[in-house]
Short mmCIF file of all heavy atoms in Angstrom, two decimals:
data_model
loop_
_atom_site.label_atom_id
_atom_site.label_comp_id
_atom_site.label_asym_id
_atom_site.label_seq_id
_atom_site.Cartn_x
_atom_site.Cartn_y
_atom_site.Cartn_z
N THR X 1 137.86 -7.95 36.49
CA THR X 1 137.60 -7.82 35.07
C THR X 1 138.91 -8.00 34.33
O THR X 1 139.98 -8.00 34.91
CB THR X 1 137.04 -6.42 34.73
OG1 THR X 1 138.05 -5.45 34.99
CG2 THR X 1 135.81 -6.12 35.55
N ARG X 2 138.81 -8.16 33.00
CA ARG X 2 140.02 -8.37 32.21
C ARG X 2 141.01 -7.22 32.37
O ARG X 2 142.20 -7.43 32.55
CB ARG X 2 139.62 -8.54 30.74
CG ARG X 2 140.77 -8.83 29.82
CD ARG X 2 140.28 -9.04 28.42
NE ARG X 2 139.28 -10.09 28.39
CZ ARG X 2 139.58 -11.38 28.34
NH1 ARG X 2 140.82 -11.76 28.33
NH2 ARG X 2 138.63 -12.29 28.32
N ARG X 3 140.53 -5.98 32.29
CA ARG X 3 141.45 -4.85 32.40
C ARG X 3 142.11 -4.81 33.77
O ARG X 3 143.28 -4.51 33.91
CB ARG X 3 140.71 -3.54 32.12
CG ARG X 3 140.34 -3.33 30.66
CD ARG X 3 139.88 -1.91 30.40
NE ARG X 3 139.57 -1.71 29.00
CZ ARG X 3 138.37 -1.89 28.47
NH1 ARG X 3 137.38 -2.31 29.22
NH2 ARG X 3 138.17 -1.69 27.18
N GLN X 4 141.33 -5.15 34.82
CA GLN X 4 141.91 -5.17 36.16
C GLN X 4 142.95 -6.26 36.27
O GLN X 4 143.97 -6.10 36.93
CB GLN X 4 140.80 -5.39 37.20
CG GLN X 4 139.89 -4.18 37.40
CD GLN X 4 138.70 -4.53 38.29
OE1 GLN X 4 138.20 -5.64 38.24
NE2 GLN X 4 138.28 -3.58 39.08
N LEU X 5 142.69 -7.41 35.61
CA LEU X 5 143.63 -8.51 35.68
C LEU X 5 144.97 -8.11 35.09
O LEU X 5 146.03 -8.42 35.63
CB LEU X 5 143.06 -9.71 34.92
CG LEU X 5 143.76 -11.06 35.10
CD1 LEU X 5 143.64 -11.50 36.54
CD2 LEU X 5 143.16 -12.09 34.18
N ILE X 6 144.93 -7.37 33.97
CA ILE X 6 146.17 -6.91 33.35
C ILE X 6 146.82 -5.84 34.22
O ILE X 6 148.02 -5.88 34.49
CB ILE X 6 145.87 -6.35 31.94
CG1 ILE X 6 145.33 -7.47 31.04
CG2 ILE X 6 147.11 -5.73 31.34
CD1 ILE X 6 144.82 -6.97 29.71
N LYS X 7 146.02 -4.89 34.71
CA LYS X 7 146.54 -3.79 35.49
C LYS X 7 147.17 -4.27 36.79
O LYS X 7 148.21 -3.78 37.23
CB LYS X 7 145.42 -2.80 35.80
CG LYS X 7 145.86 -1.59 36.62
CD LYS X 7 144.69 -0.66 36.85
CE LYS X 7 145.11 0.55 37.70
NZ LYS X 7 143.96 1.44 37.95
N ASN X 8 146.54 -5.26 37.43
CA ASN X 8 146.99 -5.71 38.74
C ASN X 8 147.92 -6.92 38.65
O ASN X 8 148.10 -7.62 39.63
CB ASN X 8 145.79 -6.08 39.61
CG ASN X 8 144.94 -4.87 39.93
OD1 ASN X 8 145.44 -3.76 40.00
ND2 ASN X 8 143.64 -5.09 40.12
N GLY X 9 148.51 -7.13 37.46
CA GLY X 9 149.35 -8.30 37.28
C GLY X 9 150.45 -8.41 38.30
O GLY X 9 150.83 -9.48 38.74
N GLY X 10 151.01 -7.28 38.73
CA GLY X 10 152.10 -7.31 39.69
C GLY X 10 151.67 -7.93 41.00
O GLY X 10 152.38 -8.74 41.59
N GLN X 11 150.49 -7.59 41.46
CA GLN X 11 149.99 -8.16 42.69
C GLN X 11 149.67 -9.63 42.51
O GLN X 11 149.96 -10.45 43.37
CB GLN X 11 148.74 -7.41 43.14
CG GLN X 11 149.00 -5.95 43.49
CD GLN X 11 147.71 -5.21 43.82
OE1 GLN X 11 146.63 -5.80 43.78
NE2 GLN X 11 147.83 -3.94 44.15
N LEU X 12 149.10 -9.97 41.35
CA LEU X 12 148.71 -11.36 41.14
C LEU X 12 149.91 -12.27 41.07
O LEU X 12 149.84 -13.43 41.47
CB LEU X 12 147.88 -11.48 39.85
CG LEU X 12 146.51 -10.82 39.91
CD1 LEU X 12 145.85 -10.87 38.56
CD2 LEU X 12 145.64 -11.49 40.95
N GLY X 13 151.04 -11.76 40.56
CA GLY X 13 152.24 -12.57 40.50
C GLY X 13 152.66 -13.02 41.88
O GLY X 13 153.20 -14.10 42.07
N VAL X 14 152.40 -12.19 42.89
CA VAL X 14 152.75 -12.52 44.26
C VAL X 14 151.66 -13.36 44.91
O VAL X 14 151.93 -14.30 45.67
CB VAL X 14 152.97 -11.22 45.08
CG1 VAL X 14 153.25 -11.56 46.53
CG2 VAL X 14 154.10 -10.41 44.49
N LEU X 15 150.40 -13.06 44.57
CA LEU X 15 149.29 -13.70 45.25
C LEU X 15 148.87 -15.02 44.63
O LEU X 15 148.08 -15.75 45.21
CB LEU X 15 148.06 -12.76 45.25
CG LEU X 15 148.24 -11.42 45.97
CD1 LEU X 15 146.98 -10.59 45.80
CD2 LEU X 15 148.52 -11.63 47.45
N ALA X 16 149.42 -15.33 43.44
CA ALA X 16 148.93 -16.50 42.70
C ALA X 16 148.96 -17.77 43.52
O ALA X 16 148.07 -18.62 43.42
CB ALA X 16 149.74 -16.70 41.42
N ALA X 17 150.01 -17.92 44.33
CA ALA X 17 150.14 -19.15 45.10
C ALA X 17 149.16 -19.20 46.26
O ALA X 17 148.84 -20.27 46.77
CB ALA X 17 151.56 -19.28 45.64
N ALA X 18 148.65 -18.03 46.68
CA ALA X 18 147.82 -17.99 47.87
C ALA X 18 146.34 -17.92 47.58
O ALA X 18 145.52 -18.33 48.39
CB ALA X 18 148.22 -16.78 48.73
N VAL X 19 145.95 -17.41 46.41
CA VAL X 19 144.55 -17.23 46.13
C VAL X 19 144.21 -17.80 44.77
O VAL X 19 145.06 -17.98 43.91
CB VAL X 19 144.14 -15.73 46.16
CG1 VAL X 19 144.44 -15.13 47.49
CG2 VAL X 19 144.83 -14.95 45.05
N GLN X 20 142.96 -18.07 44.57
CA GLN X 20 142.47 -18.52 43.27
C GLN X 20 141.90 -17.33 42.53
O GLN X 20 140.98 -16.68 42.99
CB GLN X 20 141.38 -19.59 43.46
CG GLN X 20 140.81 -20.09 42.14
CD GLN X 20 139.72 -21.11 42.36
OE1 GLN X 20 139.47 -21.50 43.49
NE2 GLN X 20 139.07 -21.51 41.28
N VAL X 21 142.48 -17.04 41.37
CA VAL X 21 142.03 -15.89 40.60
C VAL X 21 140.89 -16.32 39.69
O VAL X 21 141.02 -17.23 38.89
CB VAL X 21 143.20 -15.33 39.76
CG1 VAL X 21 142.73 -14.16 38.94
CG2 VAL X 21 144.34 -14.92 40.67
N THR X 22 139.75 -15.67 39.79
CA THR X 22 138.58 -16.01 38.99
C THR X 22 138.16 -14.81 38.18
O THR X 22 137.46 -13.93 38.68
CB THR X 22 137.42 -16.46 39.88
OG1 THR X 22 137.88 -17.49 40.77
CG2 THR X 22 136.26 -16.98 39.04
N PRO X 23 138.60 -14.69 36.92
CA PRO X 23 138.23 -13.54 36.12
C PRO X 23 136.75 -13.55 35.80
O PRO X 23 136.12 -14.60 35.69
CB PRO X 23 139.08 -13.70 34.85
CG PRO X 23 139.37 -15.15 34.77
CD PRO X 23 139.46 -15.65 36.18
N SER X 24 136.17 -12.38 35.64
CA SER X 24 134.74 -12.29 35.34
C SER X 24 134.45 -12.50 33.86
O SER X 24 133.32 -12.74 33.48
CB SER X 24 134.23 -10.90 35.73
OG SER X 24 134.79 -9.92 34.89
N TRP X 25 135.48 -12.41 33.01
CA TRP X 25 135.33 -12.57 31.58
C TRP X 25 134.30 -11.60 31.01
O TRP X 25 133.53 -11.93 30.11
CB TRP X 25 134.95 -14.02 31.22
CG TRP X 25 135.98 -14.98 31.65
CD1 TRP X 25 136.01 -15.70 32.81
CD2 TRP X 25 137.18 -15.31 30.97
NE1 TRP X 25 137.14 -16.47 32.88
CE2 TRP X 25 137.88 -16.25 31.75
CE3 TRP X 25 137.76 -14.91 29.76
CZ2 TRP X 25 139.10 -16.78 31.39
CZ3 TRP X 25 138.97 -15.45 29.40
CH2 TRP X 25 139.64 -16.36 30.20
N ALA X 26 134.29 -10.38 31.59
CA ALA X 26 133.42 -9.33 31.05
C ALA X 26 134.14 -8.71 29.87
O ALA X 26 134.94 -7.79 30.01
CB ALA X 26 133.14 -8.28 32.12
N LEU X 27 133.87 -9.22 28.70
CA LEU X 27 134.64 -8.84 27.52
C LEU X 27 133.83 -8.00 26.55
O LEU X 27 132.62 -8.06 26.52
CB LEU X 27 135.11 -10.10 26.77
CG LEU X 27 135.92 -11.09 27.60
CD1 LEU X 27 136.19 -12.31 26.78
CD2 LEU X 27 137.20 -10.45 28.05
N SER X 28 134.55 -7.29 25.72
CA SER X 28 133.89 -6.57 24.64
C SER X 28 133.45 -7.57 23.58
O SER X 28 133.96 -8.67 23.49
CB SER X 28 134.86 -5.57 24.01
OG SER X 28 135.90 -6.25 23.35
N ALA X 29 132.49 -7.18 22.77
CA ALA X 29 131.99 -8.09 21.73
C ALA X 29 133.00 -8.27 20.61
O ALA X 29 132.85 -9.13 19.77
CB ALA X 29 130.68 -7.55 21.18
N GLN X 30 134.04 -7.45 20.62
CA GLN X 30 134.98 -7.46 19.50
C GLN X 30 135.75 -8.76 19.42
O GLN X 30 135.97 -9.29 18.34
CB GLN X 30 135.94 -6.28 19.61
CG GLN X 30 135.28 -4.94 19.33
CD GLN X 30 136.28 -3.82 19.38
OE1 GLN X 30 137.31 -3.91 20.03
NE2 GLN X 30 135.97 -2.74 18.70
N ASN X 31 136.21 -9.30 20.57
CA ASN X 31 136.97 -10.54 20.46
C ASN X 31 136.13 -11.77 20.76
O ASN X 31 136.54 -12.88 20.49
CB ASN X 31 138.24 -10.51 21.34
CG ASN X 31 137.93 -10.45 22.82
OD1 ASN X 31 137.01 -11.10 23.29
ND2 ASN X 31 138.70 -9.67 23.56
N GLY X 32 134.94 -11.59 21.33
CA GLY X 32 133.99 -12.69 21.46
C GLY X 32 134.41 -13.80 22.39
O GLY X 32 133.84 -14.88 22.36
N VAL X 33 135.42 -13.59 23.22
CA VAL X 33 135.87 -14.62 24.15
C VAL X 33 135.32 -14.29 25.52
O VAL X 33 135.68 -13.29 26.12
CB VAL X 33 137.42 -14.68 24.19
CG1 VAL X 33 137.87 -15.74 25.18
CG2 VAL X 33 137.97 -14.95 22.82
N ASN X 34 134.42 -15.12 26.02
CA ASN X 34 133.82 -14.81 27.32
C ASN X 34 133.94 -15.93 28.32
O ASN X 34 133.21 -15.99 29.30
CB ASN X 34 132.35 -14.41 27.15
CG ASN X 34 131.56 -15.46 26.39
OD1 ASN X 34 131.93 -16.63 26.39
ND2 ASN X 34 130.49 -15.03 25.74
#
């Protein structure tokens, strides 16, 4: 989820080259970006 993506940024910085990150885009209606 978006919050997890932000929270786990440290791990993703290391894993980015090895895995494909696919966010769920489960967003609040406030920003409307899904």
